[in-house]
Amino acid sequence: MSKKIIKSVFGVIIVGLLVLAACYWRPFKKNIDTKEITLNIPEPKILYGLCSDSFHLETGFVDRHQNLSDILSERGVPLTVIHQVAGNCSSLFDVRKMKTGDRFVAFYSLDSTRILRYLAYENNSIDYCVFDFTSDTAKVVPGKKEVTVKSRIASGVIKSSLWNSMIENKLSPILAVELSEIYDCTIDFFGIQKGDHFKILYDEEFIGDESIGMGKIHSASFTQGGKEYFAILFSQQDGNNYFDEKGNSLKKVFSEITP
């Protein structure tokens, strides 16, 4: 057999082996493709702008006759640092006006020493201050909780009074006060009768899942004695004002009847 024939046979064998390798590799490659791996890493819990997972937490409420100095000294803060803190927060709020029942949260180190690192004090349902003890100079940082606004529609039929109608429909009595102010010169609320009814589009404010009160009333309708009265909110340079469906200001009505 000549060398030429041997080379030809050898070439055919090589090509055949390459084809077989390709056929074998294709399904094998499919099996070893890297798959996307999803890691369920929980998001850190943020409280008062701090990662609460990194601390031991203690929630407390201001006791009767208790002040900021009492709260901090009970948690190991030296009097010199307490005096410094009181001076640094004087422009944010008056520590002498802390009220019984005000909420605070202490952030301690995770190790066995349990050293106080931060203390968050709630001035009200939205505003708070964080006292920072992580350095030699105690700092006070103001903050606000995130407020979510949701649109609400409320309605009801008067059976005895507007106030009772709010209670019966599990609505905030503040809505009754707001309606009486909006329609102050349009509707005689002392003359409300059984069967009169109302409908209100308003905002309700939340921090998390907790309602902290109502916001603006965007529009309302109140039917008294078969006549429907509208109130629609418009923002103007001098503030918010309510108008009826014809564009007449409800404040204008007041000015026209005032002697």
Side-chain angles (χ1 to χ4, degrees):
M1 184 179 294
S2 66
K3 292 182 178 180
K4 190 174 183 179
I5 295 175
I6 292 174
K7 288 182 178 180
S8 298
V9 172
F10 184 74
V12 170
I13 293 172
I14 294 299
V15 171
L17 290 174
L18 291 173
V19 171
L20 288 174
C23 293
Y24 172 78
W25 175 252
R26 193 169 296 156
F28 179 73
K29 182 181 179 182
K30 182 181 293 185
N31 291 333
I32 65 172
D33 277 346
T34 303
K35 295 182 180 179
E36 183 178 348
I37 301 176
T38 303
L39 297 177
N40 295 321
I41 301 176
E43 293 186 4
K45 297 178 181 179
I46 304 300
L47 185 64
Y48 306 106
L50 301 171
C51 181
S52 61
D53 298 328
S54 302
F55 303 92
H56 286 296
L57 300 184
E58 175 203 3
T59 300
F61 299 90
V62 178
D63 290 333
R64 187 179 181 185
H65 303 310
Q66 191 178 37
N67 55 37
L68 181 62
S69 179
D70 298 329
I71 294 171
L72 295 180
S73 61
E74 289 172 5
R75 286 156 183 82
V77 179
L79 289 177
T80 54
V81 178
I82 294 173
H83 179 73
Q84 187 182 53
V85 167
N88 290 342
C89 71
S90 59
S91 61
L92 300 177
F93 76 101
D94 189 346
V95 296
R96 295 171 299 179
K97 295 183 179 179
M98 294 179 67
K99 303 183 298 297
T100 301
D102 284 352
R103 184 173 184 263
F104 63 85
V105 178
F107 293 73
Y108 298 95
S109 59
L110 281 176
D111 56 29
S112 58
T113 60
R114 291 288 292 265
I115 297 173
L116 182 67
R117 297 300 187 186
Y118 301 92
L119 187 133
Y121 167 74
E122 296 186 358
N123 306 40
N124 50 55
S125 58
I126 298 176
D127 302 301
Y128 63 85
C129 291
V130 175
F131 302 97
D132 183 349
F133 303 104
T134 58
S135 62
D136 294 336
T137 303
K139 296 180 293 185
V140 184
V141 181
K144 289 180 178 292
K145 295 181 182 179
E146 183 179 356
V147 178
T148 303
V149 179
K150 299 180 181 180
S151 296
R152 300 295 196 196
I153 296 178
S155 60
V157 179
I158 308 297
K159 295 180 180 178
S160 56
S161 69
L162 179 59
W163 185 275
N164 288 337
S165 181
M166 295 294 176
I167 302 300
E168 292 165 1
N169 288 279
K170 298 181 179 179
L171 301 172
S172 171
I174 296 176
L175 285 173
V177 177
E178 295 289 336
L179 277 185
S180 63
E181 291 181 356
I182 291 172
Y183 289 111
D184 182 35
C185 305
T186 308
I187 296 174
D188 179 11
F189 283 92
F190 292 102
I192 289 178
Q193 298 179 359
K194 184 177 180 179
D196 291 346
H197 52 89
F198 61 88
K199 191 172 185 179
I200 312 167
L201 173 63
Y202 68 101
D203 290 335
E204 188 172 4
E205 298 177 342
F206 290 84
I207 293 179
D209 296 327
E210 181 183 356
S211 175
I212 61 171
M214 57 170 289
K216 296 178 181 178
I217 291 180
H218 293 279
S219 62
S221 67
F222 198 103
T223 301
Q224 182 183 40
K227 184 178 180 180
E228 189 172 18
Y229 300 89
F230 291 93
I232 304 168
L233 177 66
F234 283 93
S235 296
Q236 299 177 310
Q237 292 183 347
D238 59 346
N240 296 324
N241 197 2
Y242 288 91
F243 295 80
D244 63 18
E245 76 280 11
K246 296 179 181 179
N248 299 315
S249 172
L250 298 187
K251 285 186 177 179
K252 185 177 179 181
V253 174
F254 177 77
S255 63
E256 289 177 350
I257 65 173
T258 302

